[in-house]
Amino acid sequence: MELIVENLIGGYGKKDVLHGISFKLNEGEVLCVLGPNGCGKSTLLKLLLRLLPKKQGSILLNNQDTGIINRKTFSRIFSYIPQSDNMLFPYTILEMVTMGRSNQINAWSTPSKKDIDIAYEKLDKLKIAHMANKLYTRISKGEKQLVLIARALCQDTKILIMDEPSSSLDFANEMLIMEAISTIKNEGKSVIMTTHSPSEPFLITTKVLLISQGYMVGYGSPLNVLTNETLESVYGIPMDVIKISDRNNNNRHICLPVL
């Protein structure tokens, strides 16, 4: 499944926030949308999810305009994982995840044993099956993010859209989220995720889209796009992309400000 965005322009009312954004996402790829706060990352997600109308440009899925796809079919292709969920009702984690099956059953049906089994399968894949009976309102933010990812996996869509999935998480929970995204990628699903961390695209990303003030600065592999020069131009401070080796002699890249 191929998603092609060309010369996308959009925003709020008469104000354009994004100007000429273009990229392509293939099956099994992870695209990281990177940029400072206020650059237009969340606006891009809203345009992709049809929560905002585009002004110009095209969003094509297998050469079909996503704007004409009916709502039910759209929900079987795209799923959205927000930074947080304002759920106040004390559902169990299993109930929250099973809600992801709503696009697979009709409005008057209740989840079947198969739906519940699938929910358990996704919880187990993300290593949180032992939490199935806990209340969603009483778990940590990192655990909630994993539950929301499991719910999206239950939706069984081709493309998952994540809004800063590791925002405000501690390092351990951030790595759990990266591992979950790796699992999704290995299943042949595609991910579009936003981040404000220049180092994060090097962890799991296939491609990166670098945005500044609503304009594209670069698009391609992280090593080609994220350079000292491009990062300095976007963030306004001197930055170095550093190559290191971990304890297993694997080459890694991180971004650091120059002090």
Side-chain angles (χ1 to χ4, degrees), residues 231-258:
L231 289 171
E232 184 170 344
S233 71
V234 167
Y235 289 95
I237 59 173
M239 297 188 72
D240 281 344
V241 178
I242 299 173
K243 181 179 178 180
I244 62 173
S245 295
D246 63 20
R247 66 178 64 181
N248 297 317
N249 293 319
N250 295 315
N251 290 328
R252 306 279 294 274
H253 290 83
I254 60 173
C255 301
L256 293 175
V258 178

Side-chain angles (χ1 to χ4, degrees), residues 142-167:
E143 290 168 336
K144 285 182 178 179
Q145 194 67 31
L146 287 169
V147 171
L148 295 177
I149 292 173
R151 184 174 68 180
L153 288 176
C154 265
Q155 199 173 329
D156 196 25
T157 59
K158 300 295 183 182
I159 300 174
L160 290 86
I161 295 179
M162 303 182 174
D163 189 7
E164 298 192 4
S166 61
S167 176

Side-chain angles (χ1 to χ4, degrees), residues 15-246:
K15 181 182 179 182
D16 292 337
V17 175
L18 293 177
H19 312 272
I21 302 297
S22 300
F23 64 85
K24 181 168 73 171
L25 182 71
N26 295 312
E27 187 173 296
E29 289 186 335
V30 178
L31 172 69
C32 188
V33 184
L34 173 68
N37 292 338
C39 72
K41 300 187 298 292
S42 294
T43 301
L44 175 60
L45 299 192
K46 290 177 181 178
L47 289 165
L48 295 175
L49 291 165
R50 307 193 305 193
L51 300 176
L52 286 176
K54 62 181 185 290
K55 296 283 187 68
Q56 292 183 40
S58 60
I59 305 173
L60 303 175
L61 184 69
N62 292 342
N63 294 318
Q64 181 183 19
D65 187 341
T66 59
I68 64 173
I69 299 175
N70 69 59
R71 184 176 178 180
K72 187 168 186 178
T73 301
F74 192 87
S75 72
R76 291 181 174 177
I77 299 171
F78 294 90
S79 54
Y80 173 57
I81 301 161
Q83 288 186 39
S84 60
D85 192 300
N86 295 321
M87 178 64 67
L88 298 177
F89 192 85
Y91 289 110
T92 66
I93 289 172
L94 178 61
E95 289 170 333
M96 283 288 295
V97 174
T98 306
M99 289 178 192
R101 299 294 297 167
S102 61
N103 69 331
Q104 305 290 331
I105 59 180
N106 65 54
W108 308 110
S109 298
T110 57
S112 65
K113 182 180 182 301
K114 177 183 176 182
D115 295 319
I116 294 171
D117 287 344
I118 290 172
Y120 267 116
E121 176 191 333
K122 303 309 179 186
L123 287 169
D124 186 58
K125 189 176 291 291
L126 297 180
K127 301 177 183 179
I128 53 173
H130 62 285
M131 298 170 56
N133 294 319
K134 287 188 176 182
L135 296 181
Y136 179 77
T137 52
R138 295 185 180 179
I139 60 177
S140 71
K141 187 172 181 179
E143 290 168 336
K144 285 182 178 179
Q145 194 67 31
L146 287 169
V147 171
L148 295 177
I149 292 173
R151 184 174 68 180
L153 288 176
C154 265
Q155 199 173 329
D156 196 25
T157 59
K158 300 295 183 182
I159 300 174
L160 290 86
I161 295 179
M162 303 182 174
D163 189 7
E164 298 192 4
S166 61
S167 176
S168 301
L169 300 184
D170 61 37
F171 187 73
N173 276 318
E174 181 184 358
M175 292 305 102
L176 285 175
I177 298 301
M178 293 301 106
E179 186 177 344
I181 293 171
S182 179
T183 297
I184 294 167
K185 176 184 175 183
N186 292 337
E187 289 184 348
K189 299 179 186 295
S190 304
V191 175
I192 299 174
M193 58 176 283
T194 60
T195 184
H196 59 267
S197 168
S199 292
E200 202 163 77
F202 290 112
L203 292 174
I204 191 61
T205 300
T206 309
K207 297 174 180 175
V208 62
L209 173 66
L210 183 60
I211 299 177
S212 177
Q213 297 180 355
Y215 292 90
M216 286 179 59
V217 175
Y219 163 69
S221 72
L223 282 175
N224 289 334
V225 173
L226 304 182
T227 65
N228 299 350
E229 293 75 21
T230 59
L231 289 171
E232 184 170 344
S233 71
V234 167
Y235 289 95
I237 59 173
M239 297 188 72
D240 281 344
V241 178
I242 299 173
K243 181 179 178 180
I244 62 173
S245 295
D246 63 20

